[in-house]
Each structure stands twice: as C-alpha cells, then as structure tokens.
Amino acid sequence: MAIFRELLKVYIVFGALFFIGRTFFYLIYFNRLSDISLEESLLTFIYGLRMDTIVISIILIIPTILLTLSPKIFSKYISNFLNFYILVFLVIALFIESASFPFFAQYDLRPNYLFIEYLAYPKEVSSLLFKDYKLEFIGAFILIFIVARIYLKSNFIKFEKVFEQSYFSRVILLLPILLVLFLGIRSSLGHRPVNISDALYSTNRVINEITKNSIHSLGYAYYSNIKSENDISKYGKMSVEEAYKVASKTLGITYKNETKPFYREVKTHLEKKEQKNLVIFIQESLGAQFTGFIGKQNLTPNLDNLAKNYISFTNLYSNGTRSVRGLAALTSGTLPIHSVEVLKRNKSQHDYFTIANLLKPYGYKSSFIYGGEARFDNMKSWYLGNGFDEVIEEKDYINPIFKSTWGVSDEDLVIKANEQFKTYSKNKENFVSVMFSSSNHMPFELPDGKIEFDKNFPRNSVENAIKYADFAIGKFFELAHKEDYFKNTVFVIVADHNVRVYGDQIVPIDMFQIPAVIISDGISPQIFSRLSSQADVLATALDLIGIDLSYPILGNSIFKDNKQDINLMLFDEIYAYRKGDIITILVPNLPTKTFEYKDKKLVEIPNNEDLQKEALALIYILDDMYKNKSYK
C-alpha cells in the first residue's frame, strides 16, 4: 500500500543518514577500538539501529496521522506540509549529526544536556564555534544545503500518492501503523522501554558512544533533567534511613539528625588560634598530568615550586567533569549530586551551606572573583544567594590587559583580586574569597609577551594555556608576597576538573586526577599522597585558618583521624565510587560492576556488594539533603 511505501521511504532516508554518521564515527575513532571484537563492532550498528528507530518512529507519528485521517480534498496541502515537515527534521538531523563530531572531539561524548545548556549562552558559544570550529560548521551548512536541494529536486518521497488510496482504507490503517510506531519508540516488548543505557553494551566507552543516536541522546538528557530531582532509583534501591547509616560510616562522620545530618564541630589542629583569611583559587581544567609534581609535562613551574614548599595533594580526584561540580565541592564541600549540580537547582539558591555563610559570623567579608560574565552556569545568582557579599565579574574590570571570548585574562583576575584583598587588609577585615580562572578554556586565546609559547604545540593550545595559567599563579603570589595580608592568609590552588576527560573505559578514572596545593605562612612542607576528594581539600584549608568551626562538609581534614580514602566521581550519568584501589561503577538501569584500578586501567573483578552499598548510600543522602534543604 502507498502509505506503507512512503513511510518506509522516510525511514530509509533517516536511517541512512544516521548509519553514515555512525560509520564515520567508527572509522575516525577506530584506533580507540583495539580491544573490540568483530562481533562487538557489528553490535554497535545493530543496537544503533534500535536507537535510530526510536527517533524515526517519533518523527513518523505526525505524517501517519495526517495521511490516514485527511480527506483527499486536502491532499495537495497535506503533501506540501509533510514535505516541509520532513525537510525540517532532515536539516535538524544533519545539523546535530555534524555538530556531534566537534562535540565529541571536545567532550569525548555524544551530545548530552551540556549541548542544550550552552544554547543559553549564545555570546560565548558562538564566539567559540566561530574561532575553533569555523571550517566544520561551514562544511555542515554546505552539506545541509546540498542534501536539502537533492531532497527537494528528487521527489523521492511522494506523499500525494497516498491519497490515491480510498479514505476508508487509510483510516483503518491508522491504529495498526501507530501500534508499529509505538513498538518502535519503545523498542522493547518488556515492562521497560529502551533507554540510553541499552546502548552501553561494551566495557569500551567509545563504542558505546558510537552506538548512541545524538538526537535520542539529547532528548533523553532533556527528559532526564526535567525529572532528575525525583529519580535516583535508576542507580539502585535503598531506604533513606539505611543510606544515612551507611554513609555515616563511609564518610567517617557521625550522623546527627535529619535536620542537619552531618553537621558537627571541628576543632582546628593549630595550637595558636589566630583567625586567618582564606583564598581558594580554582583553576579551570588544570589536570594533574600537566604538572611537574604529579605529572610529567612540567608546564607549571610556579605551581610546582609552591607544591615543593607547602602542602601538596598528589592523589586528588575531582567530583566531575564540569566547572559547576568543582565550584560546589570547593565552596560547599559537597560530593557530586546526580544530574544537575546544586548551582543550578531551585532549592539550593538560598540557605545552602557555603564557606561565606560559615565564616560570616566571625566577621569575614566574602567575594567571588571571576574574569568572565558570572551569569554563566548561574554562578552569580548562586554565590550571592548563599552568603557571598560580592561577585566581581568582567564588567568590573577597567582597562583590562587582555580580553578573550571568556572574559578578561587570568593576569587581570589576580591583579584585581590582590587589590581587593589589600582593601580588606587596610580596613582590618578578615576575608574569604573564591577566585575562578578562565584562560585555560577553548579557544585558548592568550596575550603576547607573557609566556614563552611552546613550539611543540600550536600557539592556541591547552599546553600553552596551562603555561599561561601557571604564569598568572606566579604573578598572584608575586603580588601577594609584598602585602601584609599574605602572612595571615591560607591560600588554596586547586583545579575544578581535568581538561577534556578522554578515555576508552566506561569511566576514565585517571582523567579525574587534579592537583592541589595549600599555601600558608609557617606550615611545613608536606606531600599528601592518600586518596582525597575536593571536599577533603576544603576541610583541610578550614583546619588551617585557626578557628573551631561547625559545618556539614562531606570531607575531612588530612590532619584528622577520620580522613577516609574514598572518592565519588560523576561522569555524565555514570557514578564511580573509589575506595583505595577498588572502584564500583553505577550505570543507570544496569547491574553494578566492580573493578580494580591498576596501572590506570579498570580490571573487572567479582562484584563488591559492600562497596556498591556505600556508593548508593552517598547518592541517596546527597539527594535527600538537597530535597529537604538540610545541607545548610
């Protein structure tokens, strides 16, 4: 029948487009699939077709309804509308497939919710795309133009032919076709429809990403984030009561009550109680591999020198792969909550624990200092809503030395911060400040005359950006050493996350490793090599400012006996919970697996149910404390 024939043609057109895109992905990243068998390679196209069918079935709903229920008298109008309808979806599919390649090159993932989030920042994103992906997008638009022209000229799909069938024969086909499309959308006869986890069939993460469909990934990410604050059962089931009991033991922190679960008094380990200032300088995307004191690239001589003379963390891992994860961890001492981070969630815009409202009763002035527009990632609203007195951003810099896509340079940032701290010091005010760098961010625009550009890499490369970030660190301490506030301040230099988290394994653990150094006048040099989280770094810094404090931070000072060798990491939707060198991986709606972390590789071992329970407990208590606003 004509209606089946024309709908099948639509299926073939979109199926071919997705197949070609998946094939190109497979060929481009073939060198990262060395551990993949021929059978697994074939499965990526079979499972991929399943994901494609979900998308195509959704596209076909409107044509099915219109072609079966519209009287023949409207055939011309309906045919023209459906031709336009298919063309629009064809353009969207081509654009997203084309955009998937630079997105994967940047994030090592198919487009996810980050792809949607960035649409809210057209200034930064359009500038980045124009500077770094100009050729790719010109090529994409040429491809879209060519395909659209071929589609319009070929007359391959002939919707008007459908109306040659009798109206009755079309109407009785409505329910059978909708049933087929419903099955296509579910892609399963089981109690649960297919979701994104059904593409995760291999231990090689890259082949799993190739299997996905980018449009489906975006739709699933959007849907998941709409209901994200209500759905953690996808990781496993546990009562909240049991979760707090297990989490208390896991964290080494006594559970207090449901109002303030982990709120406790923590006495400073310093004998001399003298209020010191606290400055946390968060470095954008500074991976441990770039440093000399942890890695082998030696691009950070200033940071390496500080590490040599003060407290350095050599086995520290970030909460996640996004700046908001690091900012939350290093400002509030949290672990990574599932889905959207607390900086962007409704219930954490006020009365959420931060170091600003912690130290305010002790007379501390607080500031968040950034070189770009602080509306990005909702930073300004969150910091001002949670105790910070001032947010300094791009508009507050007069005649900056250098300005890029992401704002003023890190040098401008440290000069501005130094002036701010001098003012506090002159007014005899204690202060707590979070500084956030931005130069180490694509498209890596850097000023001349500040560093010697490494000739082994392109001028606008991450390696040169790291060198420039380190230059700014050196500049900051050069300025601070000359000021009175230096001797009375605890400084923390720490990364928010690593740069471009690449890896073929389901979670590339090594790409979560970041550096941290705590600088304070009079402390002895120390290399801390035990496994640590960003919350541990914050707790340690607070331990050094000379005040007995009460707080709910989900980490412990390295000077305390209850410091645990654990870490919870979130990679997209996948949790990795590490205890020593044993790691349990929690993928939504899939069985938990346990691995040994050996030589930077995950080696699967028999499942550790105790470890699984600890990980699940942390996920549940993070969710519960957010919902009940008890992290305060």
Side-chain angles (χ1 to χ4, degrees), residues 293-326:
F293 76 99
I294 303 174
K296 298 179 180 178
Q297 292 189 256
N298 298 313
L299 298 174
T300 58
N302 292 306
L303 184 60
D304 293 342
N305 186 56
L306 291 169
K308 179 181 177 182
N309 293 296
Y310 296 98
I311 300 173
S312 62
F313 289 76
T314 59
N315 199 12
L316 170 67
Y317 290 77
S318 66
N319 272 11
T321 60
R322 294 287 316 284
S323 294
V324 285
R325 301 283 182 200

Side-chain angles (χ1 to χ4, degrees), residues 76-190:
K76 183 178 179 181
Y77 302 105
I78 297 299
S79 297
N80 289 337
F81 171 77
L82 289 179
N83 279 321
F84 176 74
Y85 172 88
I86 296 301
L87 178 61
V88 168
F89 272 100
L90 194 59
V91 168
I92 291 171
L94 275 167
F95 177 79
I96 293 176
E97 281 296 303
S98 300
S100 296
F101 291 93
F103 190 89
F104 195 95
Q106 175 70 10
Y107 297 104
D108 223 32
L109 293 166
R110 283 268 195 175
N112 56 14
Y113 196 72
L114 179 61
F115 189 96
I116 301 170
E117 278 189 327
Y118 272 7
L119 296 177
Y121 309 108
K123 172 181 171 286
E124 293 87 347
V125 174
S126 59
S127 179
L128 185 153
L129 294 177
F130 182 77
K131 291 174 182 176
D132 263 47
Y133 298 111
K134 187 189 303 182
L135 292 178
E136 288 88 339
F137 276 85
I138 290 174
F141 286 119
I142 291 173
L143 177 63
I144 288 170
F145 176 78
I146 292 172
V147 171
R149 189 171 179 81
I150 292 172
Y151 172 78
L152 292 172
K153 290 283 187 181
S154 68
N155 199 26
F156 173 62
I157 300 169
K158 302 175 181 178
F159 290 117
E160 64 274 10
K161 289 285 186 180
V162 174
F163 291 93
E164 294 177 2
Q165 287 183 229
S166 69
Y167 184 71
F168 178 74
S169 67
R170 285 187 283 121
V171 170
I172 62 172
L173 289 174
L174 175 62
L175 289 180
I177 295 175
L178 287 179
L179 178 60
V180 171
L181 295 180
F182 174 73
L183 291 174
I185 294 168
R186 280 184 57 87
S187 288
S188 169
L189 295 175

Side-chain angles (χ1 to χ4, degrees), residues 417-427 431 479 483 485:
N418 182 59
E419 291 300 318
Q420 186 80 0
F421 303 156
K422 282 167 62 178
T423 300
Y424 289 137
S425 181
K426 183 179 178 181
N427 295 335
F431 58 87
L479 295 170
E483 305 301 334
Y485 73 80

Side-chain angles (χ1 to χ4, degrees), residues 202-205 504-508 571 574 585 587 595 602:
S202 173
T203 55
N204 183 294
R205 193 180 53 77
D504 304 338
Q505 299 177 86
I506 190 165
V507 178
F571 182 54
I574 303 173
I585 304 289
V587 181
F595 301 84
L602 291 174

